[in-house]
Amino acid sequence: MAHTYGIQPVNEETLDLAVSLIRSGEIVVIPTDTVYGVVADPTQADAVEKIFQAKHRPHEKSVQILAARLDDTEKFGVVIPPALTPVAQKFMPGAISIIATIDENMRTSKLCTVREEADGFLTQAVRLPDNPASLKILSTTGPLAASSANLSGHISPTTAQESYDQLGDSVSLYIDGGATPGPVASTVVAWDAQTSQPVFLREGAIHSDAIRSVLA
């Protein structure tokens, strides 16, 4: 890392700086509508690896992608399970991460964050964060690899300072958008085609009962 900028307030200059750093392969911490997240260009393997190194995150744990719009993920072949479309329509943007599949026939750009499941399917968690600063960045960069901005196994941070206290100068820039609602992260939901039921991989800010009610 050539230079670190520490914690900076949200303004046009720092948002532009965040975009520039991400495009150059660095990692940046941004606020979301749940907790602070550390993000990187998902098409650059070295950049995604910096997330794992900064967090001391085991590689068997995947990272999600954040996007400003679901349409922005189409070039990666990201497909929301049709059964979960009502969930996406109801809760996106918001504190929901949906496990999508990757359609190789639709993919024109490759994600370095995709997980290969035991059955051979390629999957990717995707989320649209309802936060002005993160959406401004995402609308410029396109989808970004993301994970909560904490050391693996530690409490997810709700301020830029808490993020810095854990990750320090391993991150190029921290965008301070004030306290986020946290400390609970997004709810992660998948669809089990065999049982025709939602599977909750993480109970988060949106309660599973609310999601089941939408699917009922």
Side-chain angles (χ1 to χ4, degrees):
M1 186 185 300
H3 185 74
T4 57
Y5 294 86
I7 300 173
Q8 299 292 335
V10 174
N11 55 47
E12 290 297 323
E13 182 180 359
T14 56
L15 293 179
D16 288 345
L17 175 59
V19 170
S20 177
L21 289 168
I22 290 165
R23 286 175 170 167
S24 66
E26 300 299 338
I27 58 175
V28 172
V29 164
I30 64 173
T32 76
D33 52 341
T34 55
V35 298
Y36 273 73
V38 56
V39 298
D41 184 339
T43 67
Q44 298 186 46
D46 289 346
V48 174
E49 176 61 22
K50 288 177 182 178
I51 293 179
F52 284 91
Q53 294 299 321
K55 286 173 58 74
H56 300 170
R57 183 176 178 84
H59 284 82
E60 58 267 23
K61 293 184 177 182
S62 59
V63 296
Q64 62 183 340
I65 59 169
L66 302 181
R69 297 166 294 274
L70 278 179
D71 289 351
D72 294 343
T73 69
E74 289 180 354
K75 66 180 180 179
F76 300 114
V78 172
V79 178
I80 297 292
L84 292 178
T85 298
V87 177
Q89 292 173 337
K90 174 70 174 178
F91 296 111
M92 286 184 164
I96 186 80
S97 298
I98 294 178
I99 303 297
T101 57
I102 302 296
D103 186 335
E104 295 277 28
N105 296 320
M106 294 172 54
R107 186 166 71 172
T108 58
S109 296
K110 188 175 181 180
L111 290 168
C112 300
T113 52
V114 171
R115 175 190 286 273
E116 183 171 359
E117 304 295 343
D119 54 12
F121 282 99
L122 301 178
T123 62
Q124 175 64 67
V126 60
R127 183 163 105 80
L128 312 185
D130 192 10
N131 175 276
S134 58
L135 288 174
K136 182 70 180 293
I137 292 170
L138 290 162
S139 66
T140 304
T141 61
L144 295 176
S147 184
S148 54
N150 57 285
L151 293 172
S152 186
H154 290 227
I155 294 175
S156 298
T158 58
T159 67
Q161 185 63 55
E162 289 175 1
S163 303
Y164 182 83
D165 290 343
Q166 295 195 53
L167 302 183
D169 290 339
S170 63
V171 173
S172 291
L173 171 67
Y174 295 78
I175 297 292
D176 187 353
T180 61
V184 180
S186 62
T187 298
V188 182
V189 61
W191 183 257
D192 187 332
Q194 291 185 333
T195 64
S196 296
Q197 293 292 328
V199 178
F200 295 94
L201 306 180
R202 181 174 69 199
E203 185 83 44
I206 297 175
H207 198 276
S208 57
D209 287 346
I211 294 169
R212 287 192 178 94
S213 70
V214 171
L215 296 173

